[in-house]
Amino acid sequence: MVAKPVFLTTDILIFGLLLFIIAFFIYASRKPHMIQPWRQVVRNKAGVISIMVLSVYVCIALLDSMHFHPRLVNQENQSAEVRYSGDVLSMFDQIVSKLRASTEKTYSAPFAAQLYAKETMQLPDGTKQRVYPRLSWGAAHLDDPETQKTTDIIKLGLAGALKAFIAVTLCIALLCFYLSVKAKKSLRTTVRFMFSDESDVPWATVFITFAIILLMLFAGAEWASKYHVLGTDKIGEDVLYQALKSIRTGVVIGALATLLTLPLAITLGIMAGYFRGWVDDVIQYIYTTLNSIPGVLLIAAAVLTLHVYINNHEEDFSSLTQRADLRLLFLCLILGLTSWTGLCRLLRAETLKLREVDFVQAASAFGVGPTQTIFRHVLPNVMHIVLITLVLEFSGLVMAEAVLSYINIGVDPTMNSWGNMINSARLQMAREPVVWWSLAASLFFMFTLVLFANLFADVVRDALDPRLVKQ
Amino acid sequence: MIAYIIRRVLYAIPILIGVNILTFLLFFVVNSPDEMAYMFLGDKNTKQEQVEDWKKERGYHFPLFYNSEVEGVKKLTDTIFYTKSVRLFVFDFGRSDSGRDIGFDIRQRMWPSLAITVPQFIIGLLITITLALLIAFFRATYIDYWAVVICVALMSISSLFYIIGGQFIMGKILRVVPISGFESGIFGIKFLILPIAIGVLGGLGSGTRWYRTIFLEEINKDYVRTARAKGISEQMVLFHHVLRNALIPILTGVVVVLPALFIGSLITE
């Protein structure tokens, strides 16, 4: 085997979620009433754009969730038993292995050829001088960076753009061809139909977004192969690599936090609304109590408790990665616990309304038991609220992670996350001259994710909320 | 109405007890005082006597809930739960592990927090309502569309960015206000302006968008149509009829936010 796979808990959960989503859409595609709202999402321009951007993020997160122990290469003895390194890498690390390996001594600006700090160096003629030393990796292929750098950057960018253009044209051509074969029409009619107003999907928007995404990916890859596109941080690690690795943390927290407490919120919310009486009182009491404790304090207390637990039970964790993963999972749980009350309240209110509706009354009149009524009549009718909440809370959770890591109660400090990046950038801002790229990179990546998650949430809400359905 | 208010206030009692027990569980049961002592004194080279001393000094040497070694009522009162948690109900907070009087600390530190949150809340509310009303006035035009886009963008920027960016631009580049610190009295204003401005800006996006939705809902109601049919000008309709009626849902929403003022703006501070 080339590598020994490692299954972290969050990996399993995130792939489980992916499988569930795929299964849902396969199931829903046969039921017109379930797939119709999603058609509406795809028809919307903002919806399409955000789906495409989000899927780039999700793809990176998924690649970064396939972990393994790389195999150690033994040069002398090929027949020796296979040994694996103790490090845990991911597929994504493998793809961007160059970025990961290319570290400098300390800070360097984006696209820089020299370090950001002066060092004493011995010149060839024997004299010593304080100069900015050349980077060991960034722009190392240039003889005279001062004159060649700009042309080189432009050249690489153009090469990337050309590749992107070819890729985009190929993809679009293939897609048009496929659609025309599928619809059994000539290529020309299909293309004309696709760009007309009658088409379901706004293809022009799709293609433009696709082109922009590919352009950024290809140009970025070209540049990243020769430069530190976003500079390096204090210990010389590539900032672009850090920002990309942080995507997984953000997506995992955004997706899992609500999901982990979903069973709790659904069960309690529906029970409170359906049975009323003392059940309702108890459940209301539970969530009001939880709600009365300020969220940040509850999270801080819980996370500190976990610290002590981990410190006292160090032998239980085989590796640092596993420990960091446990902390991430725990943070998801805690974030979920502080936010499930809102969903629970909504579900209770909706169930209260539903239990008086004719079809539920009819079911009880026919002698259908409460369990069956809940599963067949109530649950399917509140699922839109669950979905809307899941999508709506995603962006808030991504930002919450950053805030929590900023005050050191978030994810493990060894884990890449935007919060940790901002936290370390706080000190860099006070530095003279200012190191701004770490902060800018993390904020840019986070902003993009949150912005498109917000746009997506809006479109999904408009599509799924029955109160907003237009006649 | 009075009966309702009394009932709601009485509801608070079991909730307070619940909060108390929950925090107690979090801090003392999951982490036993022994573990705390080890953390505090350093993990290694700590003898059992030192741990006992540390615990006695802070009153953590009692059992958690039930003390079987003493007689009578003391069985319940000589416990950590009684000495540390139950006394919170009479606002007796005791001393923190580093020896400070917690009650005094809370009374003293409450004011700077409130000095930020209260003006931030009022100014923010006024600005967002004004903006939302303006956007509603230009509804279904490009101004409306782009205003909403800007609102979503503002919502998507992390509050950390506002704080760090604000400190950096105002404090370091322009040197208008000091980066941090606090002073009571009228001169404290220069310390307060920046956090207040940051807080207002941070809440601008979501607030404006939310109020805009409320205004738009109100604009489509029958009485507005009647008012227009009577020939009242658009400005009059908006600022007189719609604003007043929309304030009802807005105020309901605002009241819910009020308790959050006491939590303060943790990060900004």
Side-chain angles (χ1 to χ4, degrees):
Chain A
M1 263 215 300
V2 190
K4 192 164 97 187
V6 180
F7 297 105
L8 300 174
T9 327
T10 45
D11 293 351
I12 299 171
L13 286 172
I14 207 99
F15 277 102
L17 177 63
L18 180 74
L19 283 181
F20 180 78
I21 292 174
I22 293 173
F24 170 78
F25 276 104
I26 292 176
Y27 176 75
S29 63
R30 294 186 200 136
K31 316 251 165 176
H33 71 281
M34 283 175 95
I35 202 72
Q36 197 275 332
W38 296 99
R39 285 239 164 85
Q40 199 183 324
V41 171
V42 180
R43 248 175 246 148
N44 187 307
K45 273 184 191 166
V48 169
I49 297 175
S50 41
I51 287 178
M52 293 177 78
V53 177
L54 288 179
S55 47
V56 175
Y57 273 83
V58 170
C59 281
I60 295 178
L62 287 177
L63 279 174
D64 209 3
S65 299
M66 299 179 202
H67 289 101
F68 55 84
H69 289 301
R71 184 173 167 176
L72 288 177
V73 182
N74 195 336
Q75 298 290 353
E76 295 97 52
N77 193 352
Q78 290 289 336
S79 60
E81 80 174 295
V82 181
R83 289 178 58 204
Y84 298 104
S85 150
D87 294 349
V88 178
L89 288 184
S90 71
M91 282 304 254
F92 183 71
D93 288 326
Q94 206 65 23
I95 295 170
V96 295
S97 55
K98 217 170 172 187
L99 277 183
R100 197 169 66 89
S102 62
T103 52
E104 306 292 345
K105 232 182 235 164
T106 180
Y107 297 116
S108 69
F111 287 111
Q114 278 126 358
L115 274 188
Y116 203 55
K118 275 189 179 172
E119 256 178 35
T120 313
M121 289 235 304
Q122 193 149 22
L123 295 180
D125 55 1
T127 52
K128 281 186 180 169
Q129 210 182 349
R130 301 268 301 159
V131 289
Y132 292 112
R134 282 289 298 272
L135 294 179
S136 54
W137 197 79
H141 61 296
L142 301 177
D143 300 323
D144 179 22
E146 303 239 325
T147 51
Q148 296 171 333
K149 208 170 82 178
T150 325
T151 26
D152 190 54
I153 290 173
I154 294 172
K155 225 186 265 172
L156 286 173
L158 283 178
L162 189 67
K163 283 182 193 168
F165 179 74
I166 295 171
V168 170
T169 327
L170 260 175
C171 286
I172 293 178
L174 275 176
L175 186 80
C176 293
F177 184 68
Y178 168 74
L179 285 179
S180 75
V181 170
K182 198 179 158 202
K184 291 183 182 130
K185 280 180 192 152
S186 79
L187 197 59
R188 173 176 273 199
T189 3
T190 327
V191 173
R192 196 169 289 160
F193 174 74
M194 277 163 74
F195 288 98
S196 69
D197 291 337
E198 293 147 44
S199 160
D200 265 3
V201 183
W203 286 109
T205 322
V206 173
F207 292 150
I208 293 170
T209 322
F210 185 59
I212 293 173
I213 291 175
L214 276 197
L215 183 68
M216 285 177 84
L217 283 181
F218 276 96
E222 285 292 322
W223 283 327
S225 66
K226 298 275 163 50
Y227 294 92
H228 293 291
V229 179
L230 295 172
T232 53
D233 73 345
K234 189 170 184 180
I235 49 164
E237 240 188 77
D238 193 279
V239 173
L240 178 66
Y241 172 73
Q242 287 179 340
L244 287 174
K245 284 285 281 182
S246 305
I247 288 176
R248 174 174 186 266
T249 318
V251 171
V252 164
I253 286 189
L256 289 190
T258 336
L259 205 72
L260 284 177
T261 45
L262 208 54
L264 194 70
I266 294 179
T267 324
L268 293 187
I270 291 183
M271 270 171 68
Y274 191 80
F275 294 114
R276 298 199 291 192
W278 65 270
V279 181
D280 188 18
D281 285 341
V282 170
I283 293 170
Q284 272 200 62
Y285 171 70
I286 295 175
Y287 70 62
T288 324
T289 309
L290 269 177
N291 240 6
S292 315
I293 307 178
V296 180
L297 295 187
L298 189 65
I299 294 169
V303 169
L304 290 178
T305 315
L306 183 78
H307 275 223
V308 178
Y309 177 80
I310 288 181
N311 280 336
N312 292 335
H313 299 79
E314 245 165 54
E315 65 279 8
D316 291 355
F317 306 104
S318 53
S319 67
L320 273 176
T321 324
Q322 233 173 29
R323 216 174 77 180
D325 188 64
L326 183 83
R327 266 189 78 162
L328 179 66
L329 186 69
F330 192 76
L331 190 70
C332 290
L333 258 177
I334 283 295
L335 278 174
L337 268 185
T338 49
S339 61
W340 70 277
T341 49
L343 178 61
C344 193
R345 215 173 260 197
L346 284 177
L347 287 178
R348 173 179 167 272
E350 191 67 21
T351 315
L352 274 178
K353 242 189 283 171
L354 275 177
R355 76 190 298 279
E356 304 299 332
V357 172
D358 291 343
F359 60 83
V360 179
Q361 297 275 310
S364 332
F366 281 131
V368 180
T371 331
Q372 190 140 21
T373 321
I374 287 177
F375 274 104
R376 292 206 64 97
H377 299 295
V378 180
L379 192 59
N381 283 304
V382 296
M383 274 326 263
H384 69 276
I385 297 185
V386 177
L387 271 174
I388 293 171
T389 322
L390 268 181
V391 184
L392 269 183
E393 288 200 340
F394 181 88
S395 51
L397 287 165
V398 174
M399 292 212 270
E401 183 276 326
V403 170
L404 291 177
S405 301
Y406 182 74
I407 50 177
N408 280 329
I409 53 171
V411 296
D412 199 82
T414 57
M415 187 170 239
N416 284 306
S417 88
W418 290 312
N420 281 339
M421 281 175 79
I422 296 174
N423 191 13
S424 54
R426 173 167 53 159
L427 298 173
Q428 297 166 7
M429 294 301 279
R431 207 176 161 279
E432 202 67 55
V434 171
V435 176
W436 49 268
W437 43 87
S438 217
L439 184 74
S442 52
L443 286 171
F444 171 75
F445 275 87
M446 200 163 86
F447 172 71
T448 321
L449 178 61
V450 173
L451 175 68
F452 287 103
N454 273 336
L455 288 174
F456 183 62
D458 277 358
V459 179
V460 168
R461 188 182 48 193
D462 289 351
L464 287 181
D465 200 336
R467 279 175 303 173
L468 295 173
V469 170
K470 283 155 198 88
Q471 250 72 76
Chain B
M1 188 65 195
I2 290 171
Y4 176 77
I5 291 174
I6 292 175
R7 202 168 68 230
R8 294 307 296 187
V9 171
L10 286 181
Y11 266 137
I13 295 171
I15 289 172
L16 277 176
I17 296 176
V19 170
N20 196 324
I21 293 177
L22 195 72
T23 37
F24 180 78
L25 287 178
L26 261 178
F27 281 106
F28 286 99
V29 178
V30 186
N31 264 332
S32 71
D34 276 342
E35 282 173 350
M36 272 193 271
Y38 278 117
M39 282 283 280
F40 192 80
L41 298 168
D43 252 336
K44 293 169 188 79
N45 315 324
T46 319
K47 295 187 189 67
Q48 190 60 36
E49 298 94 79
Q50 273 176 298
V51 172
E52 291 301 325
D53 281 349
W54 188 86
K55 276 160 67 182
K56 197 162 250 167
E57 213 174 286
R58 289 165 180 78
Y60 292 156
H61 58 293
F62 298 121
L64 287 178
F65 290 108
Y66 186 75
N67 195 343
S68 54
E69 286 165 25
V70 284
E71 289 302 306
V73 200
K74 284 211 158 180
K75 270 189 191 296
L76 289 176
T77 55
D78 272 3
T79 57
I80 297 182
F81 183 66
Y82 182 80
T83 53
K84 293 290 170 194
S85 262
V86 178
R87 278 156 96 192
L88 292 181
F89 286 121
V90 288
F91 295 100
D92 177 5
F93 297 103
R95 290 179 179 278
S96 72
D97 282 354
S98 48
R100 298 175 68 104
D101 183 347
I102 298 175
F104 176 74
D105 268 8
I106 290 181
R107 273 191 294 279
Q108 198 190 22
R109 294 181 186 195
M110 197 169 79
W111 301 113
S113 288
L114 285 179
I116 293 179
T117 46
V118 172
Q120 177 186 318
F121 171 72
I122 295 169
I123 297 173
L125 197 63
L126 288 178
I127 294 184
T128 39
I129 289 182
T130 318
L131 279 178
L133 202 57
L134 273 178
I135 296 174
F137 185 71
F138 291 108
R139 65 193 173 275
T141 61
Y142 272 101
I143 297 175
D144 179 29
Y145 179 79
W146 284 106
V148 174
V149 170
I150 292 172
C151 282
V152 177
L154 278 178
M155 277 167 65
S156 310
I157 298 174
S158 167
S159 57
L160 292 175
F161 176 77
Y162 290 119
I163 295 169
I164 299 178
Q167 272 187 336
F168 184 69
I169 293 172
M170 302 308 282
K172 204 170 165 193
I173 295 186
L174 301 177
R175 297 186 188 284
V176 190
V177 289
I179 287 185
S180 62
F182 184 75
E183 199 179 320
S184 53
I186 191 76
F187 293 108
I189 285 183
K190 68 175 183 219
F191 290 103
L192 290 179
I193 287 179
L194 184 62
I196 291 174
I198 289 172
V200 170
L201 191 66
L204 205 60
S206 52
T208 311
R209 209 169 70 123
W210 183 31
Y211 297 149
R212 172 186 166 271
T213 325
I214 292 177
F215 283 131
L216 286 187
E217 230 165 69
E218 209 63 34
I219 279 177
N220 290 327
K221 287 197 175 155
D222 287 346
Y223 73 89
V224 179
R225 201 189 310 152
T226 318
R228 286 214 190 94
K230 281 183 175 170
I232 298 173
S233 69
E234 182 68 23
Q235 285 92 326
M236 190 65 181
V237 169
L238 262 189
F239 295 104
H240 205 78
H241 298 255
V242 173
L243 178 61
R244 285 186 183 186
N245 283 295
L247 277 181
I248 299 169
I250 288 177
L251 285 181
T252 323
V254 162
V255 173
V256 180
V257 187
L258 278 181
L261 288 187
F262 288 93
I263 303 171
S265 32
L266 196 88
I267 316 287
T268 318
E269 285 174 32

